[in-house]
């Protein structure tokens, strides 16, 4: 792999209605695909290069099923299979929209290439992802149920997966698109969260208004703050037109998260394209 990849996660709240049964938002799925297509097919602006790794959340294609089948004794076999089949059917819709728009996109299901330990990623085969990126195929991963050494099976969120791949694949930047403008405090977007100011912002951050078994907004912020390399992560509103496109072309939408302030350059400082 030559250039460092960009990792984009599209929240299940963007692609689906977070109801109790699987309900896709076809117009949103195809708009996201179009915004990604224009990034893939255009010449990147200065300072922005590298291939794209796409991850999506589960929304109503996984969270309600995981909630229903989770129990103190763990998931049943058919529970595991129902959760996995639900999220892979959303994955099919995302890939179909990308391929229809001319993006060579292919599924990488965590269930088939990952092992967890107590709900955290313990092992993952990623050689195939590097090989796909090298020839221009966009891997499309997702939050999933995976086999777990300690608990039998557990849910790995797209947010945890994004943070893991940042380190494993040495990503340049990572964006988590969701259906709100960023991390909000008293109705306003918090521009920057670091390990230093997290405790002061923490009281404003909850889980999710919808069914979400992986911690909603708090889960996202904790995953990004725990990344042990200096990288800028962004949480932004992918339900609004052109925000994904802005992020992909070097913009800094929503809330920026980095472990220590001052260790990561922003595009403001480099003078590159800005949203
Ligand atoms: N301080 C906060 N600022 C913004 N959103 C917050 C805050 N606290 C809690 N939330 C909730 O977090 C939600 C976003 O997380 P959620 O996990 O539901 O979305 P998602 O990641 O897009 O979906 P999925 O988990 O299916 O991929 C918001 O819709 C909101 O309900
Ligand atoms: Mg979530």
């Amino acid at each position: 792999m030559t250039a460092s990849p960009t990792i984009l996660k599209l929240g299940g709240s963007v692609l689906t209605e977070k109801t109790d049964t699987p309900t896709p938002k076809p117009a949103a799925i195809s708009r996201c695909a179009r915004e990604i297509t224009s990034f893939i097919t255009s010449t990147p602006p200065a300072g922005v290069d590298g291939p794209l790794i796409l991850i999506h959340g589960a929304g109503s294609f996984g969270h309600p099923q995981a909630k229903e089948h989770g129990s103190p004794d763990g998931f049943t076999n058919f529970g595991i299979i129902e959760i996995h089949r639900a999220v892979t059917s959303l994955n099919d819709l995302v890939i179909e929209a990308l391929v229809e728009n001319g993006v060579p996109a292919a599924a990488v299901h965590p269930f088939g290439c990952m092992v967890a330990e107590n709900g955290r990623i313990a092992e993952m085969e990623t050689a195939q992802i590097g090989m796909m990126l090298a020839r221009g195929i966009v891997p499309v991963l997702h939050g999933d149920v995976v086999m777990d050494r300690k608990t039998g099976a557990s849910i790995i969120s797209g947010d945890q997966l994004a943070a893991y791949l940042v380190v494993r694949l040495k990503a340049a930047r990572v964006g988590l698109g969701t259906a709100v403008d960023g991390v909000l405090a008293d109705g306003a977007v918090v521009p920057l969260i670091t390990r230093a100011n997290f405790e002061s912002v923490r009281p404003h951050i909850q889980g999710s208004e919808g069914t979400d078994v992986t911690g909603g907004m708090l889960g996202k912020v904790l995953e990004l703050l725990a990344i042990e390399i200096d990288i800028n992560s962004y949480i932004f509103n992918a339900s609004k037109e052109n925000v994904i496109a802005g992020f992909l072309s070097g913009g800094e939408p929503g809330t920026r998260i980095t472990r220590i302030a001052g260790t990561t350059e922003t595009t403001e400082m480099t003078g590159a394209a800005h949203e």
Side-chain angles (χ1 to χ4, degrees), residues 18 63 159 212 214 216 220:
K18 278 202 150 185
H63 287 291
D159 306 327
D212 192 291
T214 51
K220 257 180 241 309

Side-chain angles (χ1 to χ4, degrees), residues 3-4 6 39 42-51 172-173 246-251 267 272-273:
S4 303
T6 290
F39 169 73
S42 67
T43 312
V48 180
D49 58 6
R173 58 210 301 266
F247 165 73
L248 291 177
S249 56
T267 51

Side-chain angles (χ1 to χ4, degrees), residues 151-268:
T151 64
S154 60
I155 303 295
I156 299 296
S157 69
D159 306 327
Q160 184 186 156
L161 180 56
Y164 175 86
L165 290 179
V166 161
V167 179
R168 186 73 191 271
L169 301 180
K170 300 182 175 63
R173 58 210 301 266
V174 54
L176 305 185
T178 184
V180 289
D181 287 342
V183 179
L184 304 171
D186 300 324
V189 174
V190 180
L192 175 67
I193 300 178
T194 66
R195 291 179 187 178
N197 77 351
F198 175 65
E199 283 311 318
S200 64
V201 186
R202 167 74 186 85
H204 298 279
I205 314 176
Q206 278 91 45
S208 172
E209 276 165 24
T211 304
D212 192 291
V213 296
T214 51
M217 186 57 84
L218 183 59
K220 257 180 241 309
V221 174
L222 291 173
E223 293 292 355
L224 295 177
L225 272 183
I227 295 174
E228 291 291 2
I229 56 170
D230 293 322
I231 185 172
N232 284 316
S233 318
Y234 301 87
I235 297 177
F236 52 82
N237 196 337
S239 289
K240 281 191 183 160
E241 193 118 2
N242 284 326
V243 177
I244 293 171
F247 165 73
L248 291 177
S249 56
E252 299 194 282
T255 298
R256 179 164 70 95
I257 298 184
T258 189
R259 60 178 181 162
I260 302 164
T263 54
T264 43
E265 285 190 352
T266 70
T267 51
E268 268 163 323

Side-chain angles (χ1 to χ4, degrees), residues 118-138:
N118 275 327
R120 304 301 298 173
I121 301 169
E123 289 173 36
M124 183 179 183
E125 175 62 63
T126 57
Q128 78 285 27
I129 295 176
M131 293 162 83
M132 290 164 79
L133 297 180
R135 56 181 296 157
I137 296 172
V138 176

Side-chain angles (χ1 to χ4, degrees), residues 18-21 58-76 78-80 82-84 86 144-145 154-156 208-215:
K18 278 202 150 185
T19 49
D20 287 344
T21 52
S60 52
F61 290 76
H63 287 291
Q65 298 77 1
K67 195 174 168 196
E68 183 190 337
H69 292 291
S71 75
D73 306 325
F75 299 109
T76 64
F78 278 107
I80 292 168
E82 187 185 334
I83 298 162
H84 179 64
D144 205 352
V145 59
S154 60
I155 303 295
I156 299 296
S208 172
E209 276 165 24
T211 304
D212 192 291
V213 296
T214 51

